[in-house]
């Protein structure tokens, strides 16, 4: 596998279910991100992990719980979601070396998980 | 005011035409700039970084105007395959994140 992979690609869950989204990056990057993309809205950053430490939590409800066990894997644990949480959830990675040089390469995205909450 | 603002379009142009998008950003501490492309129901992909002196990649030209705080993307000799949503993206100095614009939807017609 190359690049950034995400599983599952599609998920339908009820409001009382607990599920997890998985992301894996094969690029040797040291930073990983979760984004939410709803219809006709800009990408919303949810969480940032740099060197496996959470460095940003963008006022995300506690029903979303991230986990980063190592620099290649990122999880998003979901519980008691609401129908308005239905969206495309995108994972991304980048090489953050603390200089603009690293950022010149931007972020690489996975294909996303399309989540529907009933 | 939005941190990154784009005209959402849609832009409908004939194949072979030249099309330009502008994007404005509000934070003067913005450090790095990018254009991403997102096809329908797919993930965003980096199209090109935008450098201070402007840069070109084939039919695509990006320009940065720091004084007016806007960046632009020019597509020459447009192809049907250029149909997509183009996202303007900014990195703020000292922030560990990218800020995405809403995107401009482009459709190239045969």
């Amino acid at each position: 596998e190359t690049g950034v992979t995400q599983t599952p690609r599609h998920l339908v869950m009820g409001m009382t279910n607990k599920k997890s989204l998985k992301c894996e990056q094969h690029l040797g990057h040291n930073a990983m991100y979760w984004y939410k993309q709803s219809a006709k809205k800009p990408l919303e950053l949810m969480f940032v992990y740099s060197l496996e430490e959470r460095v940003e939590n963008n006022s995300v409800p506690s029903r979303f719980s991230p986990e980063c066990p190592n620099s290649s894997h990122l999880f998003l644990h979901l519980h008691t979601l609401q129908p308005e949480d239905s969206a495309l959830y995108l994972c991304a990675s980048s090489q953050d070396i603390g200089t603009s040089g690293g950022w010149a390469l931007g972020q690489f995205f996975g294909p996303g998980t399309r989540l529907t909450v009933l | 005011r939005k941190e990154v603002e784009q005209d959402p379009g849609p832009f409908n142009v004939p194949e072979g035409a030249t099309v330009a998008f502008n994007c404005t950003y509000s934070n003067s501490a913005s450090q790095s700039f990018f254009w991403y492309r997102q096809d329908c129901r797919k993930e965003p992909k980096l199209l090109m970084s935008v450098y201070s002196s402007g840069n070109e990649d084939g039919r695509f030209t990006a320009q940065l105007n720091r004084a007016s705080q806007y960046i632009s993307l020019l597509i020459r000799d447009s192809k049907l395959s250029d149909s997509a949503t183009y996202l303007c993206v900014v990195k703020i100095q000292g922030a560990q994140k990218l800020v995405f614009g809403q995107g401009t939807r482009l459709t190239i017609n045969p």
Side-chain angles (χ1 to χ4, degrees), chain B residues 36-85:
Chain B
Y36 276 72
R37 169 195 171 129
Q38 186 171 23
D39 293 291
C40 187
R41 303 184 75 81
K42 300 273 191 169
E43 74 273 21
K45 292 185 179 178
L46 180 65
L47 178 65
M48 58 197 302
S49 302
V50 186
Y51 302 121
S52 296
S53 54
N55 48 301
E56 191 174 303
D57 183 2
R59 298 181 292 108
F60 298 83
T61 301
Q63 296 280 349
L64 168 64
N65 185 320
R66 285 189 185 273
S68 301
Q69 296 187 187
Y70 79 81
I71 66 175
S72 64
L73 177 68
L74 182 78
I75 306 175
R76 290 183 301 277
D77 187 24
S78 53
K79 312 290 185 191
L80 296 177
S81 57
D82 294 334
S83 298
T85 295

Side-chain angles (χ1 to χ4, degrees), chain A residues 10 31 33 35 37 40-43 45 48-50 55-56 58 88 90 94 96 100 103-112 114, chain B residues 2 4 31-34 36 38 40-46 48-51 87 89 91 95-103 105:
Chain A
H10 300 271
Y33 312 79
Y35 288 89
Q37 189 171 39
K40 299 187 179 180
K41 292 175 76 173
L43 273 167
L45 179 66
V48 179
Y49 277 83
S50 179
V55 297
E56 180 123 3
N58 224 28
L88 180 67
L90 290 158
S94 69
D96 179 20
S100 60
W103 277 96
L105 299 177
Q107 291 179 2
F108 292 81
F109 285 82
R114 191 159 294 279
Chain B
K2 293 179 185 176
V4 178
Q31 177 185 36
S32 306
F33 309 89
F34 309 90
Y36 276 72
Q38 186 171 23
C40 187
R41 303 184 75 81
K42 300 273 191 169
E43 74 273 21
K45 292 185 179 178
L46 180 65
M48 58 197 302
S49 302
V50 186
Y51 302 121
L87 303 166
V89 185
K91 181 187 180 294
Q96 185 80 20
K97 64 178 184 180
L98 298 179
V99 180
F100 285 77
Q102 185 179 4
R105 188 167 173 187

